[in-house]
Amino acid sequence: MVDEMTRGNSIPEHRRYSQRLAHLEKRNISARKGPHQPIGNKVVGIKKQRQNSSKKRISALMWLFGIVLLVMIYIILPISKITNITISGNNELTDREVEDASTIRPGRLIWTAWLGQKYLEHEARIKNPQVKTLEVSLRGLKSVHVAITENRLLGEAQVGKQKHAVLSNGQLQLTTAHNTNIDFQGFESHRQQLEILGQQLGKLKPVISHGISSVKYQPTKESPHQVILYMKDGNTVKATLTNVGDKMKYYPSILTKMKGQGVVDLRIGAYSYNYGAKDK
């Protein structure tokens, strides 16, 4: 009787034990299916990653090679070379002089002219000081436009034994050409003063500077930097070379108050008097 009761009580214990084993087995199966994959699967994954990485590198190299090849073909083809050049902004320089200074000519690679324009501008100013700024723009596959601004040619002067062109930025340029602009006198041994005067007169509007016939450097004890401007309208202007550009701006308004030809004195203040009148 006791044995039967013992066996009756042990049956549920066996069931619970069996159920627990089954539960543990399920957990082990789930764990094996989780992130901990077999070594064989890991090896296959690594191989796939390496293959994808190799494909990407090969693809990048092919793109790079293709771009280099296209650039090389473009350089060889005539389409990469300049055939047409237009120039604007030059009033005193000829188109040929601009081309020579900038080295932008038919046959040059168009991309070197466009990408290297800062260098070209620097070189152009050295070759021809009349070039102030230079800008290159593309106007087609084989056409470029060159826009420049100039340092105006004010006139010419004798410095030492050589004749120089005087530019509006104060630079002096050796020249053999004759021009009918301002005739600078008295600067044979005064190069620095001539450069200062060029910078000053470069501030003037062309309508005023074109009215100057000649300028004479005539320093005195009282006015050590005196310059005399002889105007095309018959007037004479006394000024100081260090500020003549600033004061000559008022010359047109002074003319409206003059009753005839005479002297305009800009050395100290600004006033005028007719020829023959008592010197003030």
Side-chain angles (χ1 to χ4, degrees), residues 229 231 233-237 251 255 258-265 272-276:
L229 288 70
M231 308 300 292
D233 58 14
N235 291 321
T236 301
V237 178
Y251 182 73
L255 286 182
M258 295 179 67
K259 297 180 179 179
Q261 294 178 341
V263 176
V264 177
D265 197 327
S272 65
Y273 52 92
N274 293 340
Y275 289 129

Side-chain angles (χ1 to χ4, degrees), residues 242-254:
T242 55
N243 63 9
V244 61
D246 298 315
K247 289 201 170 185
M248 275 295 289
K249 293 186 295 186
Y250 305 108
Y251 182 73
S253 63
I254 294 174

Side-chain angles (χ1 to χ4, degrees), residues 42-263:
K42 289 183 178 180
V43 172
V44 172
I46 292 172
K47 286 183 177 180
K48 287 183 178 180
Q49 288 180 358
R50 289 179 177 177
Q51 288 175 354
N52 292 335
S53 178
S54 297
K55 288 180 180 179
K56 288 180 180 179
R57 286 198 298 268
I58 293 171
S59 177
L61 289 173
M62 289 181 65
W63 272 104
L64 179 62
F65 178 77
I67 292 172
V68 172
L69 183 63
L70 289 174
V71 170
M72 293 176 66
I73 294 173
Y74 173 75
I75 291 174
I76 295 172
L77 292 175
I79 195 174
S80 67
K81 295 178 175 61
I82 297 172
T83 59
N84 184 48
I85 302 171
T86 56
I87 298 173
S88 66
N90 53 322
N91 297 312
E92 297 174 349
L93 293 173
T94 65
D95 288 355
R96 181 58 183 273
E97 287 173 328
V98 174
E99 287 184 18
D100 289 343
S102 65
T103 67
I104 299 175
R105 301 186 183 91
R108 184 187 180 118
L109 292 176
I110 192 168
W111 61 272
T112 62
W114 183 57
L115 294 177
Q117 58 181 303
K118 289 297 182 183
Y119 172 78
L120 294 179
E121 181 183 52
H122 174 72
E123 291 298 303
R125 288 200 298 262
I126 293 176
K127 290 182 179 179
N128 194 324
Q130 274 193 265
V131 176
K132 185 176 182 180
T133 65
L134 181 147
E135 184 178 353
V136 181
S137 58
L138 303 181
R139 291 294 175 89
L141 293 177
K142 297 188 291 183
S143 300
V144 296
H145 179 75
V146 181
I148 74 163
T149 58
E150 298 174 325
N151 290 311
R152 291 184 291 115
L153 177 62
L154 297 176
E156 62 184 34
Q158 190 76 19
V159 180
K161 295 181 179 181
Q162 295 177 312
K163 186 169 67 172
H164 290 73
V166 183
L167 304 181
S168 58
N169 64 344
Q171 281 190 273
L172 306 181
Q173 183 180 12
L174 284 173
T175 182
T176 56
H178 177 70
N179 67 77
T180 57
N181 296 338
I182 302 172
D183 179 24
F184 292 87
Q185 303 172 5
F187 292 93
E188 288 79 2
S189 58
H190 300 285
R191 182 187 181 96
Q192 184 178 3
Q193 285 80 357
L194 181 60
E195 291 174 349
I196 294 172
L197 181 60
Q199 292 174 354
Q200 283 292 314
L201 297 185
K203 299 178 181 181
L204 299 177
K205 294 180 179 179
V207 67
I208 299 177
S209 61
H210 289 167
I212 304 172
S213 176
S214 63
V215 179
K216 187 175 182 180
Y217 182 51
Q218 197 174 70
T220 64
K221 185 176 180 180
E222 293 77 16
S223 301
H225 300 294
Q226 178 179 257
V227 287
I228 308 297
L229 288 70
Y230 299 96
M231 308 300 292
K232 292 178 181 178
D233 58 14
N235 291 321
T236 301
V237 178
K238 294 182 179 181
T240 303
L241 71 84
T242 55
N243 63 9
V244 61
D246 298 315
K247 289 201 170 185
M248 275 295 289
K249 293 186 295 186
Y250 305 108
Y251 182 73
S253 63
I254 294 174
L255 286 182
T256 61
K257 301 174 183 177
M258 295 179 67
K259 297 180 179 179
Q261 294 178 341
V263 176

